[in-house]
C-alpha cells in the first residue's frame, strides 16, 4: 500500500525550514494520502463514539476503561511500520528511519494531554446522547482556529471565519435546550455537567492539534508519513499509560470481570465492544495526524466538525435517539460551514495558480 499510495512522497525536507522557503508557498498536497487519512478519520469519528456509547448503554460503567480503549489500539500500527522498515532496509539510499528525539519527547507530552482529553470526552459521553455529544465536540474547530492562529500563525480568510462561526453556532444551539434529549436516569445537572465536560474536551483537543502541527514544522530532518506513524504510536502509548495507571488506582481490572458477566449483550460482546472501540478510535487519531501532515490542523478541525454530525445521524438510527429541531439546525449549519471552507480554499488555490502563471509569463517575456 505504501508504494501504491506514494506515502513516502509526502515529505517536508530541511529546505522547508530555511529562510529562503519561509514564503507563503504551500507544499504540494499529496491527495491520495490525504484522502486515505480522511477515510481513516471518517471511520474513527463516526464509529468511535457509537461503540463508546454502546459500552455505557448495556451496563458498562467504568469511565477509565472506556477512556483506555480510545488509545489502546496503537499496537496495530506496528504492522505498517514493520513493512515500512523492511522497505527502508532494502533501499540503500535511505538514511534515517526513526523519528528524532525531540519529536519523541513532544509526542510523549502530547500523549499525556490526549489521555486527559479522552477522559473528559468519555465522562461527558456518559451523561449525553451520542448525537448531542458529537455536535458539541465539533466546537473543537473554533478552538483549533484560535490556537492555530496563535501557535502556527494560521492565516484566516473570510470563508474560514464564516465556517468557524457557522459551526460554532450549530453547536451552541444544543446548549439552549437541556431537556429535549436527556438520557433516562440523567438529571438536568448531570446533563449540564456532561455538556461542559464535552466542551472542555473539545477545547483541549483544539489545543493539541495545532501543537502537533508545530512539532511537524520544527522537525529538523525530513518528515514523512513513517514519522507520522511513529509519532501517533508514541502519542497513543503515553495516553494509554495515563489511562492504565488510573485503571489500577481505580481498581478497574478487578471490576471488569464482574462487569463483563453482567453486561447486557453478553461477555463475548463485552470484549468485542471494547476491542472494536480500541481499533476504530485508533483510525480516528491516525487520520487526524495524517491530515495535519498533509495540509494543517485547521483542515483536521473542519473534517472533524463535518463528520461529527454524521455520527449524530448514525446514532439516531442505531440508538433511536431523538432528532430534535435544534439538532437539525445544528447539522445544517455545520454542513454550510464545511462548504464555505472548501469554497474558500478553492478560490485561494485558484488565485495562487493564476499568480504563479502570471509570474512565470513575466519571467520568460
Amino acid at each position: 500500500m505504501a508504494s501504491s499510495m506514494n506515502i513516502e512522497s509526502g515529505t517536508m525536507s530541511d529546505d522547508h525550514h530555511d529562510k529562503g522557503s519561509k514564503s507563503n508557498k504551500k507544499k504540494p498536497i499529496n491527495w491520495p494520502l490525504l484522502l486515505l487519512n480522511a477515510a481513516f478519520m471518517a471511520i474513527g469519528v463516526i464509529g468511535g463514539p457509537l461503540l463508546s456509547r454502546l459500552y455505557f448503554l448495556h451496563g458498562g460503567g467504568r469511565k477509565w476503561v472506556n477512556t483506555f480503549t480510545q488509545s489502546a489500539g496503537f499496537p496495530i500500527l506496528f504492522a505498517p511500520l514493520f513493512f515500512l522498515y523492511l522497505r527502508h532496509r532494502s533501499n540503500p539510499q535511505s538514511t534515517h528511519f526513526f523519528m528524532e528525539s525531540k519529536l519523541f519527547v513532544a509526542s510523549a507530552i502530547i500523549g499525556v494531554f490526549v489521555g486527559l482529553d479522552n477522559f473528559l470526552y468519555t465522562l461527558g459521553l456518559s451523561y449525553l446522547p451520542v448525537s448531542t455529544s458529537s455536535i458539541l465536540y465539533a466546537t473543537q474547530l473554533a478552538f483549533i482556529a484560535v490556537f492555530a492562529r496563535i501557535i502556527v500563525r494560521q492565516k484566516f480568510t473570510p470563508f474560514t471565519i464564516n465556517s468557524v462561526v457557522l459551526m460554532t453556532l450549530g453547536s451552541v444551539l444544543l446548549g439552549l435546550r437541556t431537556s429535549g434529549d436527556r438520557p433516562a436516569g440523567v438529571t438536568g445537572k448531570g446533563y449540564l455537567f456532561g455538556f461542559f465536560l464535552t466542551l472542555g474536551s473539545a477545547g483541549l483537543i483544539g489545543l493539541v492539534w495545532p501543537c502537533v502541527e508545530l512539532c511537524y514544522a520544527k522537525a529538523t530532518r525530513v518528515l514523512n508519513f513513517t514519522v507520522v506513524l511513529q509519532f501517533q504510536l508514541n502519542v497513543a502509548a503515553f495516553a494509554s499509560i495515563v489511562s492504565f495507571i488510573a485503571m489500577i488506582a481505580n481498581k478497574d481490572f478487578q471490576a471488569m470481570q464482574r462487569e463483563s458477566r453482567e453486561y447486557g449483550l453478553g461477555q463475548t460482546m463485552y470484549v468485542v465492544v471494547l476491542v472494536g472501540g480500541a481499533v476504530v478510535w485508533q483510525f480516528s487519531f491516525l487520520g487526524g495526524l495524517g491530515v495535519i501532515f498533509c495540509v494543517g490542523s485547521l483542515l483536521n478541525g473542519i473534517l472533524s466538525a463535518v463528520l461529527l454530525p454524521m455520527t449524530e445521524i448514525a446514532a439516531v438510527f442505531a440508538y433511536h435517539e431523538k432528532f430534535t429541531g435544534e439538532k437539525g439546525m445544528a447539522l445544517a449549519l455545520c454542513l454550510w460551514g464545511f462548504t464555505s471552507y472548501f469554497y474558500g480554499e478553492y478560490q485561494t488555490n485558484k488565485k495562487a495558480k493564476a499568480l504563479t502563471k502570471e509570474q512565470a509569463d513575466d519571467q520568460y517575456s
Side-chain angles (χ1 to χ4, degrees), residues 106-330:
S107 60
I109 295 172
I110 289 173
V112 172
F113 282 101
V114 168
L116 296 175
D117 178 78
N118 289 344
F119 179 68
L120 289 177
Y121 175 82
T122 298
L123 194 55
L125 185 61
S126 67
Y127 291 100
L128 300 174
V130 174
S131 52
T132 302
S133 174
S134 63
I135 298 185
L136 280 176
Y137 200 64
T139 58
Q140 65 174 282
L141 175 63
F143 291 108
I144 289 174
V146 173
F147 288 125
R149 177 66 178 172
I150 297 171
I151 296 173
V152 294
R153 299 293 188 264
Q154 172 73 50
K155 290 185 177 181
F156 278 6
T157 66
F159 294 102
T160 302
I161 297 172
N162 183 53
S163 176
V164 170
V165 171
L166 287 170
M167 292 185 180
T168 304
L169 284 176
S171 301
V172 169
L173 275 175
L174 298 177
L176 301 179
R177 187 181 176 193
T178 61
S179 60
D181 64 345
R182 207 164 61 218
V186 176
T187 64
K189 289 183 179 179
Y191 185 96
L192 285 175
F193 183 55
F195 183 94
F196 287 110
L197 281 171
T198 306
L199 283 181
S201 174
L204 184 54
I205 201 67
L207 172 63
V208 164
W209 291 129
C211 287
V212 170
E213 185 175 354
L214 180 64
C215 291
Y216 289 172
K218 294 295 183 181
T220 305
R221 297 202 299 257
V222 171
L223 184 65
N224 54 35
F225 197 65
T226 300
V227 175
V228 173
L229 284 174
Q230 295 176 40
F231 194 94
Q232 163 60 10
L233 191 151
N234 209 39
V235 168
F238 276 87
S240 299
I241 290 171
V242 171
S243 302
F244 189 81
I245 293 172
M247 287 171 66
I248 294 175
N250 204 34
K251 298 182 179 180
D252 282 336
F253 289 103
Q254 298 90 317
M256 285 177 68
Q257 296 182 0
R258 174 184 53 80
E259 188 175 75
S260 66
R261 290 193 299 269
E262 299 174 357
Y263 192 64
L265 299 178
Q267 282 186 287
T268 302
M269 281 303 297
Y270 181 82
V271 176
V272 170
V273 168
L274 292 181
V275 174
V279 173
V280 169
W281 275 116
Q282 197 60 215
F283 279 117
S284 173
F285 288 105
L286 175 60
L289 289 176
V291 168
I292 293 174
F293 168 71
C294 292
V295 180
S297 57
L298 188 57
L299 178 60
N300 175 52
I302 295 287
L303 287 175
S304 296
V306 78
L307 287 170
L308 286 167
M310 301 301 106
T311 310
E312 173 194 350
I313 295 174
V316 168
F317 285 102
Y319 302 142
H320 306 290
E321 295 180 356
K322 295 179 181 178
F323 191 83
T324 62
E326 289 88 348
K327 290 181 182 180
M329 292 178 64

